[in-house]
Amino acid sequence: MTFDWMRIPGSLLTLFIVFNYGLLLNALIAKIAARVGRRHGIPLWQNYVDLIKNYGQRSAISHGVHFYLGPVFRLTGGIGLLLFVPTLYGSDLFANLSFAGDLILALYFVFFGTLGMALGAAESGHPYAAIGVSRGLSQVTAAELPFALAVFAVALQYQTLSVTEIVAAQQGGILNWTLFTNPLAVAAAMLSFLGSMMRPPFDLVLAPQEIPIGPPTEYHSSYLALMQTNRAIFPIAKIIIYMNLFFGGATSWPVLFLKVFLIYMVSVLVGVVSPRFRVEQSIRWFLIWAVPIGILAILWV
Amino acid sequence: MKAELEKRLVKGPDGVEFEVEPLRDYYCEALPQVQRPAYLHIVEDLFNWARAESIWILGFGTGCGAIEMRPLMTPRFDAYRYGIQWRPTPRQANLFVISGYLSVKTLKRVIRSYEQMQNPKYVVGLGSCTINGGMYFDSYNTIKRLDQYLPVDLYIAGCMPRPEALLAGFLELKKLIRAGKAEGANQYAENFAWYKANQKQVIHDWDMPDYNW
């Protein structure tokens, strides 16, 4: 088996581009949300400043090994997700480290960071962290079900587990996208998407007003900076998977930026007009509305 | 000393008895250290710029002044455009705004929260109560001068100062941080004994270790 060594700098370049795009996009969305509230909002470069400040804090304390590993796992989840999925279709440089069965690995990586974070937050010993983790894991598990069903439906539909081949099958016009060839799977996946973006109505995990901020309560300085780095990478990586599976992938960076922005905006638009679900409500919501659609999508294929 | 803080034997759910010493087990005894700035001047300069442009306030209102901080989040004043935001946990906050009078009972919580914040950290005294006691100058249970108990970087005078005054104060604090003059955390570590003696003078039911991060 030959390995194309150019894939390594290509992957690093992908990481760099996605990281910066993620930071700017998060700030842009915070700004949009602020404008909805008739505020001026944060400057676009605010996330960079916050990141530098947190990396530059002089002291940091530890609660143990897992406390260290929590943010590391989280960042690994984000970077791993990004690197094992092709970013641009038809580009050798930005195919990253994708391979024949990367769809399964991607499913695994989506969950990986959450679990690592749960371990780390639990070791911090803060009661709010424990509440946040228990809520987070139950909600993510419920939200992951319809996504997994949708992914299986798509894999059955195209008879492959390779993301690249799934994108290839959707080329040649907007009507070839999974969005139109298998709308049920896309509907189930998009409902699950709402649950994993940490925005209302599914932002109970962080619950800024009640349990201060849930799992990261004890995280500070560089730990927090690692998690902020992941906040820039992980959502984008996840949206890139959605884009590849359901929305025809992208052949150039501008198309990718646009598609990722539009998919992200779905969760933002739902978020700015929604109140918050309690955890049992959100689980019930996923089981009643999203999972049956996912099952129908599999039956329909 | 409260009974729950004393050394005692505890029987676990598996029937094994073990000793618990809350002050040692639940807190760390290490005293605060002076944290030197980055060795390279240019790096410290970059960090100071970032610290000035990203001030995270601990959401802890001690007195009536806390009501003047809320409007800063609203469209009318919108402090977020200056890089100021509120964090719910002391671990992530850099700025402690002592908002108004500080009763001795609250001082204890303030000290605990302050010590949990990470270096560098800043304290702003809001309102005249933090300067000389203000209208509580002869009260039996409020402290009169905040800087005897915590290193204060900046005072915003008034009773109460308007949100505009707060914004002006925060911008002034930014200049201090930018110039590297806001070293309250190190000042606290250097004069630790003095601060502790002052704190213990007013807090009579001292039931925590000297430094509890």
Side-chain angles (χ1 to χ4, degrees):
Chain A
M1 190 182 133
T2 56
F3 181 72
D4 182 7
W5 290 99
M6 272 313 283
R7 283 183 166 203
I8 292 177
S11 308
L12 292 179
L13 190 58
T14 307
L15 193 60
F16 178 76
I17 295 174
V18 166
F19 171 62
N20 286 296
Y21 176 64
L23 282 179
L24 291 174
L25 185 64
N26 283 345
L28 180 67
I29 282 168
K31 219 168 166 59
I32 291 174
R35 287 292 161 88
V36 171
R38 297 205 172 185
R39 284 191 296 112
H40 207 75
I42 59 173
L44 272 182
W45 57 87
Q46 184 65 46
N47 285 341
Y48 288 94
V49 184
D50 288 348
L51 207 56
I52 297 176
K53 183 205 68 179
N54 274 331
Y55 276 121
Q57 286 287 80
R58 289 189 196 137
S59 60
I61 58 155
S62 169
H63 290 283
V65 179
H66 275 304
F67 187 75
Y68 270 109
L69 288 181
V72 175
F73 278 175
R74 197 123 176 84
L75 190 59
T76 313
I79 295 179
L81 189 60
L82 181 65
L83 289 190
F84 283 108
V85 165
T87 325
L88 294 186
Y89 172 70
S91 154
D92 282 339
L93 190 58
F94 297 112
N96 299 339
L97 306 172
S98 59
F99 59 99
D102 46 8
L103 191 51
I104 299 296
L105 191 68
L107 268 184
Y108 172 72
F109 265 124
V110 169
F111 216 85
F112 183 74
T114 317
L115 289 177
M117 193 57 218
L119 281 177
E123 184 153 32
S124 76
H126 202 285
Y128 289 144
I131 296 175
V133 164
S134 67
R135 288 175 175 187
L137 284 183
S138 14
Q139 181 173 299
V140 166
T141 312
E144 203 74 351
L145 261 178
F147 180 56
L149 288 172
V151 167
F152 295 150
V154 170
L156 281 175
Q157 182 187 352
Y158 299 113
Q159 293 293 319
T160 175
L161 283 174
S162 154
V163 178
T164 313
E165 286 176 28
I166 291 177
V167 180
Q170 297 178 61
Q171 297 304 307
I174 197 170
L175 288 177
N176 287 349
W177 292 5
T178 317
L179 178 61
F180 296 103
T181 58
N182 192 351
L184 286 177
V186 178
M190 286 316 283
L191 294 182
S192 148
F193 175 71
L194 296 178
S196 62
M197 292 306 282
M198 299 274 186
R199 288 184 179 276
F202 304 105
D203 62 339
L204 189 79
V205 181
L206 297 182
Q209 282 85 22
E210 300 122 24
I211 49 167
I213 46 175
T217 305
E218 276 288 305
Y219 281 103
H220 54 271
S221 306
S222 324
Y223 307 113
L224 188 66
L226 275 184
M227 290 164 65
Q228 283 178 307
T229 313
N230 182 62
R231 277 315 291 164
I233 296 174
F234 182 76
I236 310 297
K238 183 154 186 177
I239 294 174
I240 288 179
I241 290 189
Y242 271 76
M243 182 191 74
N244 280 334
L245 293 184
F246 308 121
F247 299 98
T251 46
S252 68
W253 283 108
V255 176
L256 181 132
F257 291 158
L258 184 68
K259 281 187 177 175
V260 167
F261 175 73
L262 291 176
I263 299 174
Y264 204 139
M265 282 309 284
V266 172
S267 74
V268 175
L269 289 180
V270 173
V272 289
V273 294
S274 301
R276 185 186 294 151
F277 273 147
R278 289 205 307 266
V279 71
E280 72 270 21
Q281 287 171 324
S282 71
I283 290 176
R284 207 171 292 144
W285 191 86
F286 283 119
L287 294 185
I288 290 177
W289 295 106
V291 171
I293 300 181
I295 295 173
L296 279 180
I298 287 198
L299 293 179
W300 197 47
V301 168
Chain B
M1 182 77 80
K2 287 178 189 161
E4 67 197 46
L5 285 174
E6 266 157 22
K7 199 160 135 184
R8 61 186 188 272
L9 275 177
V10 175
K11 198 169 185 181
D14 49 359
V16 180
E17 280 203 343
F18 56 95
E19 196 174 67
V20 169
E21 195 181 351
L23 285 188
R24 278 177 163 250
D25 295 351
Y26 301 161
Y27 302 92
C28 174
E29 288 180 309
L31 294 181
Q33 301 291 323
V34 175
Q35 308 275 347
R36 300 266 159 240
Y39 184 72
L40 283 179
H41 191 265
I42 187 167
V43 176
E44 185 65 15
D45 229 30
L46 172 74
F47 285 160
N48 276 338
W49 168 78
R51 283 163 194 154
E53 294 302 318
S54 155
I55 296 179
W56 291 4
I57 303 178
L58 178 62
F60 185 163
T62 60
C64 42
I67 201 79
E68 300 293 330
M69 289 210 281
R70 304 299 177 263
L72 292 181
M73 307 177 194
T74 62
R76 178 157 180 161
F77 299 103
D78 190 21
Y80 293 96
R81 64 202 150 122
Y82 298 117
I84 295 167
Q85 53 169 300
W86 282 260
R87 300 303 285 195
T89 148
R91 292 283 189 224
Q92 299 171 2
N94 310 110
L95 173 60
F96 203 150
V97 179
I98 307 293
S99 45
Y101 67 85
L102 189 53
S103 71
V104 171
K105 204 172 166 182
T106 318
L107 176 65
K108 204 158 123 186
R109 278 77 189 171
V110 164
I111 292 168
R112 284 201 60 180
S113 306
Y114 178 75
E115 289 177 352
Q116 287 182 31
M117 288 160 67
Q118 299 301 311
N119 189 339
K121 46 192 171 185
Y122 321 107
V123 176
V124 163
L126 164 60
S128 21
C129 297
T130 55
I131 302 174
N132 54 14
M135 62 184 283
Y136 299 95
F137 71 98
D138 59 350
S139 163
Y140 66 97
N141 67 347
T142 64
I143 59 153
K144 310 298 177 292
R145 281 187 57 186
L146 179 60
D147 61 1
Q148 287 181 335
Y149 308 96
L150 291 176
V152 182
D153 294 287
L154 188 90
Y155 287 109
I156 303 171
C159 183
M160 295 303 304
R162 292 265 309 149
E164 291 96 329
L166 254 82
L167 273 184
F170 289 151
L171 295 185
E172 206 58 42
L173 178 71
K174 275 188 174 192
K175 287 181 198 155
L176 287 178
I177 300 173
R178 185 81 180 79
K181 286 179 187 161
E183 289 289 348
N186 284 344
Q187 209 180 315
Y188 190 69
E190 274 163 13
N191 308 313
F192 189 66
W194 185 76
Y195 281 115
K196 272 301 141 183
N198 284 349
Q199 291 165 3
K200 284 183 176 169
Q201 215 166 20
V202 289
I203 301 176
H204 298 303
D205 57 338
W206 187 275
D207 53 2
M208 50 190 188
D210 273 359
Y211 188 68
N212 45 91
W213 53 257

PDB file of all heavy atoms in Angstrom, chain B residues 1-19:
ATOM      1  N   MET B   1     -14.189  26.240  65.536  1.00  0.00           N
ATOM      2  CA  MET B   1     -14.159  25.238  64.441  1.00  0.00           C
ATOM      3  C   MET B   1     -15.451  24.422  64.447  1.00  0.00           C
ATOM      4  O   MET B   1     -15.868  23.919  65.475  1.00  0.00           O
ATOM      5  CB  MET B   1     -12.957  24.318  64.658  1.00  0.00           C
ATOM      6  CG  MET B   1     -12.775  23.283  63.578  1.00  0.00           C
ATOM      7  SD  MET B   1     -12.069  23.941  62.077  1.00  0.00           S
ATOM      8  CE  MET B   1     -10.348  23.995  62.525  1.00  0.00           C
ATOM      9  N   LYS B   2     -16.080  24.341  63.274  1.00  0.00           N
ATOM     10  CA  LYS B   2     -17.317  23.563  63.181  1.00  0.00           C
ATOM     11  C   LYS B   2     -17.020  22.073  63.301  1.00  0.00           C
ATOM     12  O   LYS B   2     -15.938  21.614  62.917  1.00  0.00           O
ATOM     13  CB  LYS B   2     -17.982  23.802  61.832  1.00  0.00           C
ATOM     14  CG  LYS B   2     -18.629  25.156  61.711  1.00  0.00           C
ATOM     15  CD  LYS B   2     -19.208  25.306  60.319  1.00  0.00           C
ATOM     16  CE  LYS B   2     -19.658  26.730  60.095  1.00  0.00           C
ATOM     17  NZ  LYS B   2     -19.803  27.036  58.673  1.00  0.00           N
ATOM     18  N   ALA B   3     -18.003  21.320  63.831  1.00  0.00           N
ATOM     19  CA  ALA B   3     -17.800  19.883  64.041  1.00  0.00           C
ATOM     20  C   ALA B   3     -17.519  19.170  62.719  1.00  0.00           C
ATOM     21  O   ALA B   3     -16.714  18.247  62.654  1.00  0.00           O
ATOM     22  CB  ALA B   3     -19.031  19.294  64.713  1.00  0.00           C
ATOM     23  N   GLU B   4     -18.172  19.636  61.650  1.00  0.00           N
ATOM     24  CA  GLU B   4     -18.017  18.928  60.371  1.00  0.00           C
ATOM     25  C   GLU B   4     -16.624  19.105  59.777  1.00  0.00           C
ATOM     26  O   GLU B   4     -16.246  18.409  58.844  1.00  0.00           O
ATOM     27  CB  GLU B   4     -19.066  19.436  59.377  1.00  0.00           C
ATOM     28  CG  GLU B   4     -18.828  20.895  58.971  1.00  0.00           C
ATOM     29  CD  GLU B   4     -20.054  21.518  58.337  1.00  0.00           C
ATOM     30  OE1 GLU B   4     -21.145  21.337  58.882  1.00  0.00           O
ATOM     31  OE2 GLU B   4     -19.892  22.176  57.302  1.00  0.00           O
ATOM     32  N   LEU B   5     -15.836  20.057  60.321  1.00  0.00           N
ATOM     33  CA  LEU B   5     -14.505  20.274  59.783  1.00  0.00           C
ATOM     34  C   LEU B   5     -13.442  19.555  60.608  1.00  0.00           C
ATOM     35  O   LEU B   5     -12.261  19.609  60.285  1.00  0.00           O
ATOM     36  CB  LEU B   5     -14.192  21.774  59.757  1.00  0.00           C
ATOM     37  CG  LEU B   5     -14.916  22.538  58.647  1.00  0.00           C
ATOM     38  CD1 LEU B   5     -14.668  24.020  58.778  1.00  0.00           C
ATOM     39  CD2 LEU B   5     -14.456  22.058  57.286  1.00  0.00           C
ATOM     40  N   GLU B   6     -13.858  18.915  61.715  1.00  0.00           N
ATOM     41  CA  GLU B   6     -12.864  18.267  62.557  1.00  0.00           C
ATOM     42  C   GLU B   6     -12.512  16.876  62.050  1.00  0.00           C
ATOM     43  O   GLU B   6     -13.272  16.236  61.334  1.00  0.00           O
ATOM     44  CB  GLU B   6     -13.388  18.190  63.995  1.00  0.00           C
ATOM     45  CG  GLU B   6     -12.885  19.392  64.783  1.00  0.00           C
ATOM     46  CD  GLU B   6     -13.736  19.723  65.978  1.00  0.00           C
ATOM     47  OE1 GLU B   6     -14.450  18.818  66.443  1.00  0.00           O
ATOM     48  OE2 GLU B   6     -13.686  20.877  66.425  1.00  0.00           O
ATOM     49  N   LYS B   7     -11.320  16.450  62.454  1.00  0.00           N
ATOM     50  CA  LYS B   7     -10.820  15.146  62.036  1.00  0.00           C
ATOM     51  C   LYS B   7     -11.719  14.060  62.637  1.00  0.00           C
ATOM     52  O   LYS B   7     -12.046  14.107  63.816  1.00  0.00           O
ATOM     53  CB  LYS B   7      -9.398  15.002  62.571  1.00  0.00           C
ATOM     54  CG  LYS B   7      -8.571  13.963  61.882  1.00  0.00           C
ATOM     55  CD  LYS B   7      -7.122  14.280  62.159  1.00  0.00           C
ATOM     56  CE  LYS B   7      -6.344  13.054  62.527  1.00  0.00           C
ATOM     57  NZ  LYS B   7      -4.964  13.391  62.890  1.00  0.00           N
ATOM     58  N   ARG B   8     -12.146  13.083  61.814  1.00  0.00           N
ATOM     59  CA  ARG B   8     -13.053  12.070  62.351  1.00  0.00           C
ATOM     60  C   ARG B   8     -12.942  10.781  61.561  1.00  0.00           C
ATOM     61  O   ARG B   8     -12.369  10.754  60.458  1.00  0.00           O
ATOM     62  CB  ARG B   8     -14.490  12.575  62.323  1.00  0.00           C
ATOM     63  CG  ARG B   8     -14.981  12.893  60.929  1.00  0.00           C
ATOM     64  CD  ARG B   8     -16.359  13.516  60.996  1.00  0.00           C
ATOM     65  NE  ARG B   8     -16.923  13.663  59.658  1.00  0.00           N
ATOM     66  CZ  ARG B   8     -16.742  14.722  58.880  1.00  0.00           C
ATOM     67  NH1 ARG B   8     -15.998  15.730  59.288  1.00  0.00           N
ATOM     68  NH2 ARG B   8     -17.283  14.780  57.687  1.00  0.00           N
ATOM     69  N   LEU B   9     -13.495   9.724  62.151  1.00  0.00           N
ATOM     70  CA  LEU B   9     -13.530   8.430  61.477  1.00  0.00           C
ATOM     71  C   LEU B   9     -14.854   8.297  60.737  1.00  0.00           C
ATOM     72  O   LEU B   9     -15.907   8.621  61.267  1.00  0.00           O
ATOM     73  CB  LEU B   9     -13.406   7.298  62.488  1.00  0.00           C
ATOM     74  CG  LEU B   9     -11.991   6.899  62.901  1.00  0.00           C
ATOM     75  CD1 LEU B   9     -12.058   5.830  63.961  1.00  0.00           C
ATOM     76  CD2 LEU B   9     -11.179   6.406  61.708  1.00  0.00           C
ATOM     77  N   VAL B  10     -14.808   7.836  59.475  1.00  0.00           N
ATOM     78  CA  VAL B  10     -16.021   7.688  58.673  1.00  0.00           C
ATOM     79  C   VAL B  10     -16.111   6.244  58.216  1.00  0.00           C
ATOM     80  O   VAL B  10     -15.099   5.639  57.849  1.00  0.00           O
ATOM     81  CB  VAL B  10     -15.983   8.623  57.444  1.00  0.00           C
ATOM     82  CG1 VAL B  10     -17.184   8.369  56.552  1.00  0.00           C
ATOM     83  CG2 VAL B  10     -15.971  10.068  57.887  1.00  0.00           C
ATOM     84  N   LYS B  11     -17.319   5.686  58.280  1.00  0.00           N
ATOM     85  CA  LYS B  11     -17.501   4.312  57.811  1.00  0.00           C
ATOM     86  C   LYS B  11     -18.048   4.354  56.393  1.00  0.00           C
ATOM     87  O   LYS B  11     -19.111   4.941  56.144  1.00  0.00           O
ATOM     88  CB  LYS B  11     -18.469   3.579  58.732  1.00  0.00           C
ATOM     89  CG  LYS B  11     -18.392   2.074  58.602  1.00  0.00           C
ATOM     90  CD  LYS B  11     -19.172   1.411  59.721  1.00  0.00           C
ATOM     91  CE  LYS B  11     -18.984  -0.105  59.670  1.00  0.00           C
ATOM     92  NZ  LYS B  11     -19.748  -0.767  60.732  1.00  0.00           N
ATOM     93  N   GLY B  12     -17.320   3.763  55.472  1.00  0.00           N
ATOM     94  CA  GLY B  12     -17.742   3.780  54.073  1.00  0.00           C
ATOM     95  C   GLY B  12     -18.871   2.798  53.830  1.00  0.00           C
ATOM     96  O   GLY B  12     -19.189   1.976  54.695  1.00  0.00           O
ATOM     97  N   PRO B  13     -19.497   2.859  52.647  1.00  0.00           N
ATOM     98  CA  PRO B  13     -20.602   1.956  52.323  1.00  0.00           C
ATOM     99  C   PRO B  13     -20.174   0.481  52.307  1.00  0.00           C
ATOM    100  O   PRO B  13     -21.001  -0.411  52.504  1.00  0.00           O
ATOM    101  CB  PRO B  13     -21.045   2.409  50.930  1.00  0.00           C
ATOM    102  CG  PRO B  13     -20.024   3.357  50.443  1.00  0.00           C
ATOM    103  CD  PRO B  13     -19.246   3.857  51.605  1.00  0.00           C
ATOM    104  N   ASP B  14     -18.872   0.225  52.115  1.00  0.00           N
ATOM    105  CA  ASP B  14     -18.395  -1.160  52.101  1.00  0.00           C
ATOM    106  C   ASP B  14     -17.969  -1.625  53.496  1.00  0.00           C
ATOM    107  O   ASP B  14     -17.396  -2.692  53.648  1.00  0.00           O
ATOM    108  CB  ASP B  14     -17.232  -1.315  51.115  1.00  0.00           C
ATOM    109  CG  ASP B  14     -16.174  -0.250  51.324  1.00  0.00           C
ATOM    110  OD1 ASP B  14     -16.381   0.610  52.222  1.00  0.00           O
ATOM    111  OD2 ASP B  14     -15.149  -0.267  50.630  1.00  0.00           O
ATOM    112  N   GLY B  15     -18.228  -0.804  54.514  1.00  0.00           N
ATOM    113  CA  GLY B  15     -17.946  -1.223  55.876  1.00  0.00           C
ATOM    114  C   GLY B  15     -16.544  -0.909  56.351  1.00  0.00           C
ATOM    115  O   GLY B  15     -16.218  -1.143  57.516  1.00  0.00           O
ATOM    116  N   VAL B  16     -15.705  -0.347  55.479  1.00  0.00           N
ATOM    117  CA  VAL B  16     -14.336  -0.037  55.887  1.00  0.00           C
ATOM    118  C   VAL B  16     -14.303   1.347  56.531  1.00  0.00           C
ATOM    119  O   VAL B  16     -14.878   2.294  55.996  1.00  0.00           O
ATOM    120  CB  VAL B  16     -13.391  -0.063  54.666  1.00  0.00           C
ATOM    121  CG1 VAL B  16     -11.969   0.247  55.085  1.00  0.00           C
ATOM    122  CG2 VAL B  16     -13.467  -1.413  53.981  1.00  0.00           C
ATOM    123  N   GLU B  17     -13.657   1.418  57.691  1.00  0.00           N
ATOM    124  CA  GLU B  17     -13.549   2.714  58.347  1.00  0.00           C
ATOM    125  C   GLU B  17     -12.296   3.437  57.876  1.00  0.00           C
ATOM    126  O   GLU B  17     -11.241   2.822  57.721  1.00  0.00           O
ATOM    127  CB  GLU B  17     -13.497   2.518  59.868  1.00  0.00           C
ATOM    128  CG  GLU B  17     -14.853   2.281  60.481  1.00  0.00           C
ATOM    129  CD  GLU B  17     -14.882   2.647  61.961  1.00  0.00           C
ATOM    130  OE1 GLU B  17     -13.798   2.768  62.545  1.00  0.00           O
ATOM    131  OE2 GLU B  17     -15.989   2.791  62.509  1.00  0.00           O
ATOM    132  N   PHE B  18     -12.415   4.724  57.607  1.00  0.00           N
ATOM    133  CA  PHE B  18     -11.227   5.487  57.251  1.00  0.00           C
ATOM    134  C   PHE B  18     -11.302   6.863  57.881  1.00  0.00           C
ATOM    135  O   PHE B  18     -12.373   7.337  58.267  1.00  0.00           O
ATOM    136  CB  PHE B  18     -11.059   5.573  55.737  1.00  0.00           C
ATOM    137  CG  PHE B  18     -12.246   6.152  55.017  1.00  0.00           C
ATOM    138  CD1 PHE B  18     -12.282   7.500  54.714  1.00  0.00           C
ATOM    139  CD2 PHE B  18     -13.320   5.349  54.665  1.00  0.00           C
ATOM    140  CE1 PHE B  18     -13.370   8.043  54.060  1.00  0.00           C
ATOM    141  CE2 PHE B  18     -14.414   5.893  54.007  1.00  0.00           C
ATOM    142  CZ  PHE B  18     -14.437   7.233  53.705  1.00  0.00           C
ATOM    143  N   GLU B  19     -10.130   7.501  57.959  1.00  0.00           N
ATOM    144  CA  GLU B  19     -10.054   8.785  58.640  1.00  0.00           C
ATOM    145  C   GLU B  19     -10.231   9.928  57.646  1.00  0.00           C
ATOM    146  O   GLU B  19      -9.682   9.900  56.542  1.00  0.00           O
ATOM    147  CB  GLU B  19      -8.675   8.894  59.303  1.00  0.00           C
ATOM    148  CG  GLU B  19      -8.608   9.974  60.349  1.00  0.00           C
ATOM    149  CD  GLU B  19      -7.276   9.931  61.076  1.00  0.00           C
ATOM    150  OE1 GLU B  19      -6.260  10.226  60.429  1.00  0.00           O
ATOM    151  OE2 GLU B  19      -7.248   9.593  62.277  1.00  0.00           O
TER     152      GLU B  19
END
